[in-house]
Amino acid sequence: MRFPNGHKGVKKLFASEILNIAATLLFFATAVISIINSKKSSDDRYLTAVFVLLLFAGIVAIVSFLLQIIGINQARKDGRYFGTALLFLFAGIPADIVASVTQGTFRNIFSSINEVLTLLVTVYIILGIYDLAEKLENKNLMLHGKVVLFLSASVFAAAVLFRTVPVFVPRTESLFNLIVAVMEFIGYLVFLIYLGRARKMLSGKE
């Protein structure tokens, strides 16, 4: 195994992405419930369901984030681009915190900033894996990396746009949160498949 640290790191990134998808699905469920509740009179059952789902989603997201930090930190010992991904990951923490504790326009603005930083983290992880694939002369994974890079950039760029719309039209926030959750799910799924192949490559199975 030429890149043991890269292998360990990508394995953790793979696990992190699975949890990320689970958290996205939970956030999607809360967005659906919020839209349903907004069309009806306020119901405590809906509020309770939203609270419980948000709590679980938050816990899963935190575990995913910690695994991501550990994974990128391990992988950067074998790949030059992972260090940059780690910097963007930490840069996104303040934006995420502000988005979590504010409402309305401020939340949408900082959610958009966080979305951009998330995209940059994804891009540099893809570049890090591409670099390792190039060193291992794995042309199939290199080609896959280019496709994933384009798809991820497109999906997250669209997500940033949809995060921005509620800044100017606040009443659309619940609807666009739902759309963004769907788009993020697609982006994470595409990225997960790529991480799975990278994990196999670094283990020597591909």
Side-chain angles (χ1 to χ4, degrees):
M1 188 182 295
R2 281 183 62 187
F3 302 108
N5 291 307
H7 179 240
K8 290 176 186 176
V10 170
K11 276 178 67 177
K12 289 181 177 65
L13 288 172
F14 182 77
S16 169
E17 201 60 23
I18 291 175
L19 293 176
N20 215 355
I21 290 173
T24 300
L25 289 173
L26 288 170
F27 283 125
F28 175 79
T30 60
V32 170
I33 293 172
S34 296
I35 290 174
I36 293 171
N37 192 35
S38 66
K39 294 180 179 179
K40 298 183 178 183
S41 58
S42 183
D43 190 328
D44 289 341
R45 288 175 299 176
Y46 284 109
L47 294 175
T48 301
V50 167
F51 174 77
V52 171
L53 285 172
L54 281 175
L55 180 63
F56 276 114
I59 292 170
V60 172
I62 289 170
V63 175
S64 171
F65 181 70
L66 292 174
L67 275 174
Q68 190 178 33
I69 291 174
I70 296 168
I72 294 176
N73 188 51
Q74 285 184 324
R76 74 185 178 88
K77 295 172 185 176
D78 282 337
R80 52 180 174 161
Y81 292 105
F82 291 105
T84 306
L86 194 62
L87 290 175
F88 283 121
L89 186 65
F90 283 124
I93 295 175
D96 194 32
I97 291 172
V98 173
S100 300
V101 300
T102 55
Q103 295 292 327
T105 302
F106 276 110
R107 182 173 71 177
N108 290 323
I109 289 172
F110 281 96
S111 290
S112 297
I113 293 171
N114 188 52
E115 204 78 51
V116 172
L117 291 169
T118 298
L119 170 60
L120 290 170
V121 171
T122 302
V123 165
Y124 276 94
I125 290 174
I126 293 170
L127 289 174
I129 292 171
Y130 183 93
D131 183 50
L132 295 177
E134 189 174 28
K135 290 174 181 175
L136 291 170
E137 298 181 349
N138 190 318
K139 293 182 179 179
N140 287 332
L141 196 63
M142 288 167 66
L143 178 61
H144 190 184
K146 291 177 181 178
V147 173
V148 172
L149 186 61
F150 174 76
L151 289 175
S152 296
S154 300
V155 167
F156 281 102
V160 170
L161 176 64
F162 288 130
R163 288 281 190 201
T164 306
V165 173
V167 172
F168 305 100
V169 191
R171 291 182 181 179
T172 62
E173 184 174 352
S174 294
L175 175 61
F176 280 108
N177 280 343
L178 189 64
I179 294 172
V180 168
V182 172
M183 298 196 72
E184 285 181 341
F185 176 76
I186 294 170
Y188 292 145
L189 193 59
V190 169
F191 187 42
L192 178 69
I193 294 169
Y194 182 60
L195 287 172
R197 288 196 63 192
R199 185 184 60 165
K200 278 187 178 181
M201 176 192 72
L202 292 168
S203 69
K205 294 179 181 178
E206 183 174 325

